[in-house]
Amino acid sequence: MKAENLLASASINIGVAMFILSLFSILKKQPSNAPIYYPRPISLNHHIFLDERFTFSRFLPSLEWVRRASRVSEGQILQQCGLDVLVFIRLFKFGINFFTVSCVVGVLVLLPLNYIDGDRLSSQFHSVNSFTISNIKGGSNRLWVHLSCLYFISCYGLYLLYKEYKDIWLKRIQQLHNLRHRPDQFTVLVREIPFCNEHKAYGCCVDHFFSKHYPSSYQSYQILYDCEELEKLLIHGKSIRETIEKLTQQSLTNRYTRRSDSSKIEILKEMLQDVCRKIRHIRGEAMLSEKELPVAFVTFRSRLGAALAAQSQQHSNPLVWITGIAPEPRDVLWSNLAIPYRHLPLHEIVVFLLASLLTIFFAIPVTAIQGIAKFEKLRKWFPPAMAVQLMSKKDIKACNMVFYFLVGNAFFLSLLSGSLLDQIGESFTHPKDFPGHLASAVSAQADFFMTYILTNGLFGFSLEILQPGLFMWNYIKSHTWHRGKRKTAYLNSIPYYRIIPFVALSILIGMVYAIISPLLLPFLVGYFLLGYVVFINQIEDVYITYYETCGQYWPCIYQYILVALILMQITMVGVFGLKSKPSASISTIPLLLLTFSFNEYCKRRFVPTFHKYSMQDAKKNDELDEQNGLMEANLQNALDAYCPPCLRPVDFEVVESCSTQPLISPK
């Protein structure tokens, strides 16, 4: 790519981004747009100051939202939104810190070095390639400078990873302490419960087993049921109720349809009573016993008892009485709990195969576009990746799937040109040549990834904050069928599975090109700065937290960044080989070994805390609650929290509360 082409691309993207951000700052000031740009404070009943007077300042762009975002502290994010959101923001801060230092090294050291060593008579001397490592002559001793920068950048990345891991690890421990009232700390999820042939049920086995083996700490259990039929009735009942309310409101405003509306309402009321009778019949103890599942939430009198039960093997046969830490009540996927535990590996295999097939077949259009238009293919690659979210309802698993899908399709396939099958086959038959092939492909695609960072960062983040689709929907809705009615806030949670993989892919691209094409680094600094202020605004005003895993996203993010570091080092092994500097390639191997050793240390040092609840912390929190007299209140909260939705009181008729259902306590 010529320098003037890069400048034109950057100017266009920056101009479009500035226009979109200016438009956003104007729309955000308009009171009618509050449900779009302030749904979080509206849902929390916070006061929003919006000037409703028709003034000139309302239609002028401003940077007030940027200044406001820059003043938000990590303590505020942790207190208001939780550790998951803070981990999400720390991903952007990691990118800012890493690429700022890398940018200084790249611009002050590597860029001049690459440019000076080139052939001034070459046709590429005035192109972007003259600033890349490809401009260095083969066998040049200047490559030792690149090796030194590789060591410095890699060690700095490992230092940041360790610092982030340790800090988030400590914050997770503190967050579990601060949220010690949460019911999941007293509760264990039990699966594959044996069937009691005597009583023809699962529940009695649960009570007998835990009363016998945990007599001092076991409190009670909540068996789960196959409530598919009941859920359909509940949905039908709510639909009838909403229709009744709509017709009632219509009859009050339109006297011409009042008589016909009244007759319709009476018919609907009879239908609702019939639905309620069916619900009461199914909720009867005799009917529920026939719908029991081999799954239960077991509550303990202390966190220590729950932690011991959740993290121990309960039976000599490891396929029965399978226990684990219960998810937070807001994070329970009730429909998934009905899937037999033994079928879960099959489900995972099917999902893996579907994802693999999607990746393989998606390679065909990607490869075709690769040979046609490098610049235009950017916008055609990424929409199919959104289909991955349909295969997994769990955000963390979806993050992993989308990330590796993007690495396979958006990164590696973009590097391959010519015959795709020939190159893949050659990599398998001659694995020692893989670094060389990777280095050659990476060097050739630097201009494309510069365009990607510009487009995905400036344009993508600008659209994220503007939300044009939601704005148009709200405008059409408020001026047609919903005109004159009270507006409701458009609440959503952070789509981790959509944002984290794309940001992690940008980190991967930046790390791989940090030494090869340092001209990319300033764009990455801007990418992460813009992403930071955009998503600070979104979590403050738009997104709401529906559940909290206390930082369990971080091990996945750490793994993505580590993959990027390793790819950067493997690529440089190949680059030094292509530059006829085998001694530099060999000197990179100790750095790879250091990275793998660092990963093993982190896996042993930090990872267990993100998946287990230590006995020490459990006992400490129990003692603190006993001193403050909070144990009974927290225990009662745990008893009430895991009632299945199908057994909870409904709002279209006063029915028996969940406490009347068979929640068995030991005698």
Side-chain angles (χ1 to χ4, degrees), residues 16 113 150 163 172 174 193 201 284 311 392 398 403 422 442 456 465 511 545 609:
V16 171
L113 193 70
L150 174 65
K163 182 182 176 184
R172 173 175 168 80
Q174 184 61 42
I193 301 167
Q311 295 162 189
S392 174
F403 174 73
D422 288 346
V442 165
N456 186 52
I465 200 170
M511 286 185 171
T545 304
T609 305

mmCIF file of all heavy atoms in Angstrom, residues 16 113 150 163 172 174 193 201 284 311 392 398 403 422 442 456 465 511 545 609:
data_model
loop_
_atom_site.group_PDB
_atom_site.id
_atom_site.type_symbol
_atom_site.label_atom_id
_atom_site.label_comp_id
_atom_site.label_asym_id
_atom_site.label_seq_id
_atom_site.Cartn_x
_atom_site.Cartn_y
_atom_site.Cartn_z
ATOM 1 N N VAL A 16 -15.506 9.974 9.171
ATOM 2 C CA VAL A 16 -16.796 9.320 9.415
ATOM 3 C C VAL A 16 -17.027 9.131 10.910
ATOM 4 O O VAL A 16 -18.136 9.362 11.423
ATOM 5 C CB VAL A 16 -16.857 7.964 8.674
ATOM 6 C CG1 VAL A 16 -18.097 7.182 9.097
ATOM 7 C CG2 VAL A 16 -16.858 8.180 7.174
ATOM 8 N N LEU A 113 14.813 2.513 11.877
ATOM 9 C CA LEU A 113 15.738 1.441 11.506
ATOM 10 C C LEU A 113 15.305 0.757 10.216
ATOM 11 O O LEU A 113 16.126 0.504 9.321
ATOM 12 C CB LEU A 113 15.809 0.419 12.650
ATOM 13 C CG LEU A 113 16.945 -0.597 12.585
ATOM 14 C CD1 LEU A 113 18.283 0.091 12.851
ATOM 15 C CD2 LEU A 113 16.721 -1.695 13.612
ATOM 16 N N LEU A 150 11.740 -7.502 20.474
ATOM 17 C CA LEU A 150 10.823 -8.617 20.684
ATOM 18 C C LEU A 150 10.880 -9.098 22.128
ATOM 19 O O LEU A 150 9.836 -9.342 22.759
ATOM 20 C CB LEU A 150 11.168 -9.763 19.733
ATOM 21 C CG LEU A 150 10.380 -11.067 19.936
ATOM 22 C CD1 LEU A 150 8.902 -10.853 19.632
ATOM 23 C CD2 LEU A 150 10.945 -12.184 19.060
ATOM 24 N N LYS A 163 0.524 -8.870 36.348
ATOM 25 C CA LYS A 163 -0.015 -7.803 37.194
ATOM 26 C C LYS A 163 -1.540 -7.795 37.160
ATOM 27 O O LYS A 163 -2.201 -7.680 38.212
ATOM 28 C CB LYS A 163 0.542 -6.457 36.715
ATOM 29 C CG LYS A 163 0.096 -5.265 37.544
ATOM 30 C CD LYS A 163 0.661 -3.977 36.965
ATOM 31 C CE LYS A 163 0.140 -2.763 37.725
ATOM 32 N NZ LYS A 163 0.609 -1.501 37.114
ATOM 33 N N ARG A 172 -11.293 -10.676 43.009
ATOM 34 C CA ARG A 172 -12.284 -11.754 43.051
ATOM 35 C C ARG A 172 -12.489 -12.245 44.483
ATOM 36 O O ARG A 172 -13.627 -12.441 44.924
ATOM 37 C CB ARG A 172 -11.855 -12.913 42.152
ATOM 38 C CG ARG A 172 -12.759 -14.140 42.292
ATOM 39 C CD ARG A 172 -12.405 -15.233 41.316
ATOM 40 N NE ARG A 172 -13.077 -16.481 41.655
ATOM 41 C CZ ARG A 172 -14.337 -16.767 41.360
ATOM 42 N NH1 ARG A 172 -15.079 -15.891 40.724
ATOM 43 N NH2 ARG A 172 -14.870 -17.929 41.703
ATOM 44 N N GLN A 174 -11.946 -10.572 47.199
ATOM 45 C CA GLN A 174 -12.631 -9.510 47.930
ATOM 46 C C GLN A 174 -14.099 -9.412 47.524
ATOM 47 O O GLN A 174 -14.974 -9.192 48.371
ATOM 48 C CB GLN A 174 -11.928 -8.174 47.675
ATOM 49 C CG GLN A 174 -12.501 -6.999 48.462
ATOM 50 C CD GLN A 174 -12.401 -7.193 49.954
ATOM 51 O OE1 GLN A 174 -11.382 -7.662 50.460
ATOM 52 N NE2 GLN A 174 -13.449 -6.835 50.685
ATOM 53 N N ILE A 193 -28.969 -37.801 40.284
ATOM 54 C CA ILE A 193 -29.487 -38.349 41.545
ATOM 55 C C ILE A 193 -30.126 -39.711 41.268
ATOM 56 O O ILE A 193 -30.941 -39.834 40.353
ATOM 57 C CB ILE A 193 -30.524 -37.383 42.159
ATOM 58 C CG1 ILE A 193 -29.883 -36.008 42.416
ATOM 59 C CG2 ILE A 193 -31.123 -37.958 43.435
ATOM 60 C CD1 ILE A 193 -30.880 -34.914 42.719
ATOM 61 N N ALA A 201 -39.534 -41.669 43.311
ATOM 62 C CA ALA A 201 -39.182 -40.252 43.237
ATOM 63 C C ALA A 201 -37.679 -40.096 43.451
ATOM 64 O O ALA A 201 -36.988 -41.024 43.873
ATOM 65 C CB ALA A 201 -39.962 -39.442 44.268
ATOM 66 N N GLY A 284 -49.927 -29.462 41.847
ATOM 67 C CA GLY A 284 -50.242 -30.346 42.966
ATOM 68 C C GLY A 284 -49.092 -31.306 43.232
ATOM 69 O O GLY A 284 -48.371 -31.722 42.324
ATOM 70 N N GLN A 311 -17.063 -29.483 46.141
ATOM 71 C CA GLN A 311 -15.740 -29.775 45.601
ATOM 72 C C GLN A 311 -15.228 -31.156 45.996
ATOM 73 O O GLN A 311 -14.030 -31.415 45.943
ATOM 74 C CB GLN A 311 -14.765 -28.683 46.042
ATOM 75 C CG GLN A 311 -15.132 -27.331 45.453
ATOM 76 C CD GLN A 311 -14.513 -26.129 46.154
ATOM 77 O OE1 GLN A 311 -14.859 -24.992 45.875
ATOM 78 N NE2 GLN A 311 -13.592 -26.364 47.054
ATOM 79 N N SER A 392 -24.537 -21.584 21.605
ATOM 80 C CA SER A 392 -24.193 -21.663 23.041
ATOM 81 C C SER A 392 -24.816 -20.500 23.776
ATOM 82 O O SER A 392 -24.544 -19.351 23.449
ATOM 83 C CB SER A 392 -22.682 -21.634 23.222
ATOM 84 O OG SER A 392 -22.358 -21.564 24.588
ATOM 85 N N ALA A 398 -19.398 -18.993 24.584
ATOM 86 C CA ALA A 398 -19.592 -18.307 23.306
ATOM 87 C C ALA A 398 -18.402 -17.418 22.976
ATOM 88 O O ALA A 398 -17.999 -17.304 21.819
ATOM 89 C CB ALA A 398 -20.878 -17.487 23.337
ATOM 90 N N PHE A 403 -14.012 -16.249 19.445
ATOM 91 C CA PHE A 403 -12.604 -15.846 19.328
ATOM 92 C C PHE A 403 -11.830 -16.784 18.406
ATOM 93 O O PHE A 403 -11.148 -16.343 17.475
ATOM 94 C CB PHE A 403 -11.945 -15.800 20.701
ATOM 95 C CG PHE A 403 -10.467 -15.532 20.638
ATOM 96 C CD1 PHE A 403 -9.985 -14.276 20.324
ATOM 97 C CD2 PHE A 403 -9.552 -16.554 20.861
ATOM 98 C CE1 PHE A 403 -8.619 -14.031 20.243
ATOM 99 C CE2 PHE A 403 -8.192 -16.325 20.789
ATOM 100 C CZ PHE A 403 -7.722 -15.056 20.480
ATOM 101 N N ASP A 422 -3.271 -26.488 -0.702
ATOM 102 C CA ASP A 422 -1.847 -26.792 -0.839
ATOM 103 C C ASP A 422 -1.052 -26.264 0.347
ATOM 104 O O ASP A 422 -0.174 -26.942 0.882
ATOM 105 C CB ASP A 422 -1.291 -26.182 -2.131
ATOM 106 C CG ASP A 422 -1.784 -26.937 -3.360
ATOM 107 O OD1 ASP A 422 -2.314 -28.060 -3.182
ATOM 108 O OD2 ASP A 422 -1.637 -26.409 -4.471
ATOM 109 N N VAL A 442 2.277 -13.081 6.896
ATOM 110 C CA VAL A 442 2.040 -11.922 7.763
ATOM 111 C C VAL A 442 2.633 -10.661 7.157
ATOM 112 O O VAL A 442 2.003 -9.592 7.143
ATOM 113 C CB VAL A 442 2.621 -12.191 9.176
ATOM 114 C CG1 VAL A 442 2.718 -10.897 9.964
ATOM 115 C CG2 VAL A 442 1.744 -13.185 9.927
ATOM 116 N N ASN A 456 -12.738 -1.300 11.875
ATOM 117 C CA ASN A 456 -13.408 -1.929 13.009
ATOM 118 C C ASN A 456 -13.383 -1.039 14.234
ATOM 119 O O ASN A 456 -14.326 -1.027 15.025
ATOM 120 C CB ASN A 456 -12.736 -3.271 13.320
ATOM 121 C CG ASN A 456 -13.476 -4.038 14.391
ATOM 122 O OD1 ASN A 456 -14.676 -4.242 14.305
ATOM 123 N ND2 ASN A 456 -12.765 -4.451 15.419
ATOM 124 N N ILE A 465 -21.869 3.122 19.952
ATOM 125 C CA ILE A 465 -22.370 4.147 20.861
ATOM 126 C C ILE A 465 -23.582 4.873 20.283
ATOM 127 O O ILE A 465 -24.465 5.319 21.022
ATOM 128 C CB ILE A 465 -21.244 5.151 21.213
ATOM 129 C CG1 ILE A 465 -21.582 5.904 22.502
ATOM 130 C CG2 ILE A 465 -20.966 6.101 20.077
ATOM 131 C CD1 ILE A 465 -20.438 6.716 23.052
ATOM 132 N N MET A 511 -0.098 -7.534 18.303
ATOM 133 C CA MET A 511 1.115 -8.193 18.802
ATOM 134 C C MET A 511 1.903 -8.838 17.666
ATOM 135 O O MET A 511 3.138 -8.758 17.631
ATOM 136 C CB MET A 511 0.741 -9.232 19.856
ATOM 137 C CG MET A 511 0.344 -8.638 21.184
ATOM 138 S SD MET A 511 0.040 -9.897 22.434
ATOM 139 C CE MET A 511 -0.131 -8.871 23.902
ATOM 140 N N THR A 545 -26.316 -4.863 34.510
ATOM 141 C CA THR A 545 -25.745 -6.158 34.891
ATOM 142 C C THR A 545 -26.858 -7.099 35.316
ATOM 143 O O THR A 545 -27.568 -6.837 36.289
ATOM 144 C CB THR A 545 -24.735 -5.983 36.049
ATOM 145 O OG1 THR A 545 -23.732 -5.053 35.659
ATOM 146 C CG2 THR A 545 -24.090 -7.308 36.396
ATOM 147 N N THR A 609 -8.482 -20.517 41.877
ATOM 148 C CA THR A 609 -9.341 -19.595 42.631
ATOM 149 C C THR A 609 -10.547 -19.149 41.817
ATOM 150 O O THR A 609 -11.576 -18.765 42.387
ATOM 151 C CB THR A 609 -8.514 -18.367 43.077
ATOM 152 O OG1 THR A 609 -7.373 -18.821 43.800
ATOM 153 C CG2 THR A 609 -9.330 -17.456 43.979
#
